[in-house]
Amino acid sequence: MAKIIYKPHAKIYKDWILTKIFIYCFYVAVICFCLIGVYFIEVKNIEFLKYIFIFFVSVMLIFFRPIIKFFMYVLFFNNINKIRKVIKDLKEGTFSVSIKLPPEGEDEDEFVKFLRDINWMIHSIVNEYLKLEKEKKQVEERARFYLRASCTDSLTGLYNKKAFFKLMYNILSQGQTGFLIFLDIDNFKRINDRYGHLVGDDCLQKLAKIILLSIREKVDFACRYGGDEFCIFLKTLKKEVVKKVLKRMFLLFQNEIKLAEISFSCGIVNVEKINLPNSLDLKDYLDDVFKKADVSLYKAKKTKGKIVFYNKSFKK
């Protein structure tokens, strides 16, 4: 992003005024010298002053242009380079504040008008830049909002099913391992029928918060799979860690939701590191992992409030 740097350039205008004053003073000095010379030569009739006068006039005529050019460079053209620097800054995206000038008058010379035109140009560019920056921020905020909305569940704030599947795909493609947990709230339909959908939604939101409190941020992740089902992926190779996390979640769930008939069941499958030749095989393997977790959940729900790890003896 371009950076706005403020650089006062009031000296440019002051030096231009000094240049004009110097030139006028030089003209007056030359005229006065000529008048004094004529007076002493013609009126006083001092002959030797005639040669001195001719000598000084010749010197002034010879060196007039270099002297004026020198002072014009020091007091004027040097500041033109500063104006060029301002324009260069604008081209590179670094903006300078406008040149300080006196109030606008009717009889202004062309150089002052030129400085006012530069002020107008800088003012227009800065305003347009700030307008574009504001619009850019609004577009970025909308993009972030729609990105979050496309990958999160609106009720719980967890990932949605599509985003979770994509994360799992990336995990497997990187050769990472862990445990996939399918979690389902027991008797959830009964809760909705007895207490209403607002209470049911509150249960889902509280469970989502408990899940986020129980897993490691930026390491593990979870989603609302659909209805009252949740998915959790824990990056660990130890069953004891999985059991510990679920036990903590179950205790928090009981303390948070004061309903005797509510609990949750979990089906768990180990996601192993495998070598697959292409992305289609990886997708098939991921589908198979989800099916195994679903079968394990089905076994767990038969007794309710239970966790079941997938066993090869289970039929998919």
Side-chain angles (χ1 to χ4, degrees):
M1 185 179 74
K3 184 180 180 182
I4 299 178
I5 300 177
Y6 295 99
K7 300 177 181 177
H9 291 283
K11 191 174 182 298
I12 296 175
Y13 175 75
K14 292 178 181 178
D15 288 350
W16 168 243
I17 298 299
L18 290 175
T19 303
K20 292 177 67 176
I21 292 172
F22 170 78
I23 293 172
Y24 292 145
C25 290
F26 190 83
Y27 286 153
V28 171
V30 171
I31 293 170
C32 290
F33 183 79
C34 291
L35 292 174
I36 293 170
V38 170
Y39 171 77
F40 279 104
I41 293 171
E42 298 296 333
V43 178
K44 299 293 184 179
N45 198 21
I46 302 175
E47 187 66 23
F48 75 93
L49 288 177
K50 179 178 180 181
Y51 300 103
I52 296 175
F53 175 74
I54 293 172
F55 172 76
F56 276 106
V57 170
S58 301
V59 169
M60 283 189 293
L61 290 175
I62 293 170
F63 292 102
F64 177 77
R65 183 175 178 181
I67 291 172
I68 293 298
K69 187 175 181 181
F70 171 76
F71 280 99
M72 287 288 286
Y73 175 79
V74 172
L75 299 177
F76 176 63
F77 291 112
N78 187 41
N79 290 314
I80 290 294
N81 290 331
K82 294 179 182 178
I83 296 175
R84 292 179 62 191
K85 177 65 168 59
V86 174
I87 296 172
K88 183 180 178 182
D89 289 343
L90 291 174
K91 288 171 63 178
E92 294 177 352
T94 303
F95 301 136
S96 301
V97 74
S98 58
I99 301 166
K100 294 180 181 179
L101 295 172
E104 187 173 358
E106 294 182 0
D107 299 327
E108 289 185 337
D109 56 44
E110 293 301 319
F111 184 69
V112 177
K113 291 179 181 179
F114 170 66
L115 294 180
R116 293 196 188 281
D117 289 340
I118 291 179
N119 277 349
W120 177 85
M121 179 182 68
I122 294 172
H123 178 73
S124 300
I125 292 175
V126 170
N127 282 347
E128 192 64 26
Y129 169 79
L130 295 176
K131 180 181 176 182
L132 291 174
E133 281 294 310
K134 184 178 179 180
E135 292 177 355
K136 179 184 175 183
K137 288 181 180 179
Q138 291 175 347
V139 170
E140 288 175 347
E141 287 176 1
R142 284 198 296 268
R144 285 193 292 268
F145 171 79
Y146 289 125
L147 180 62
R148 286 194 299 268
S150 67
C151 63
T152 57
D153 175 63
S154 59
L155 179 64
T156 62
L158 297 176
Y159 286 115
N160 57 27
K161 180 179 178 180
K162 182 179 178 181
F164 187 84
F165 192 90
K166 186 176 181 180
L167 286 170
M168 286 293 299
Y169 185 90
N170 292 336
I171 287 292
L172 292 176
S173 63
Q174 294 169 10
Q176 299 185 43
T177 59
F179 283 91
L180 175 65
I181 303 169
F182 260 31
L183 185 152
D184 183 89
I185 299 177
D186 300 321
N187 304 317
F188 187 71
K189 186 177 183 303
R190 190 186 305 171
I191 298 297
N192 275 335
D193 293 341
R194 180 176 296 182
Y195 301 104
H197 288 279
L198 290 178
V199 174
D201 289 347
D202 184 62
C203 290
L204 294 173
Q205 290 172 335
K206 287 179 178 178
L207 179 56
K209 290 180 181 178
I210 290 169
I211 291 172
L212 291 176
L213 287 172
S214 302
I215 64 177
R216 296 165 296 179
E217 187 178 1
K218 296 182 180 179
V219 178
D220 310 317
F221 49 91
C223 82
R224 183 187 177 196
Y225 196 73
D228 60 338
E229 291 184 335
F230 294 82
C231 283
I232 306 169
F233 182 78
L234 299 179
K235 291 183 183 179
T236 179
L237 299 175
K238 299 178 180 179
K239 286 186 178 182
E240 292 75 15
V241 174
V242 178
K243 292 177 181 179
K244 186 178 179 180
V245 170
L246 292 176
K247 183 179 179 181
R248 181 167 64 248
M249 286 174 52
F250 188 76
L251 291 174
L252 290 172
F253 191 65
Q254 285 184 323
N255 293 332
E256 190 71 25
I257 301 174
K258 308 296 183 180
L259 297 174
E261 64 267 40
I262 196 168
S263 61
F264 60 79
S265 302
C266 298
I268 308 163
V269 61
N270 183 17
V271 181
E272 300 174 337
K273 183 177 180 180
I274 56 171
N275 294 319
L276 296 172
N278 55 58
S279 59
L280 290 177
D281 292 336
L282 183 59
K283 185 177 181 300
D284 292 339
Y285 174 72
L286 187 56
D287 289 338
D288 185 63
V289 168
F290 274 84
K291 287 177 182 178
K292 289 177 180 178
D294 192 47
V295 170
S296 302
L297 177 62
Y298 175 76
K299 296 286 185 181
K301 286 189 71 68
K302 285 186 175 181
T303 54
K304 300 188 186 304
K306 187 177 179 182
I307 63 172
V308 173
F309 286 86
Y310 178 77
N311 189 292
K312 291 182 179 180
S313 62
F314 296 164
K315 292 182 179 180
K316 289 186 278 184

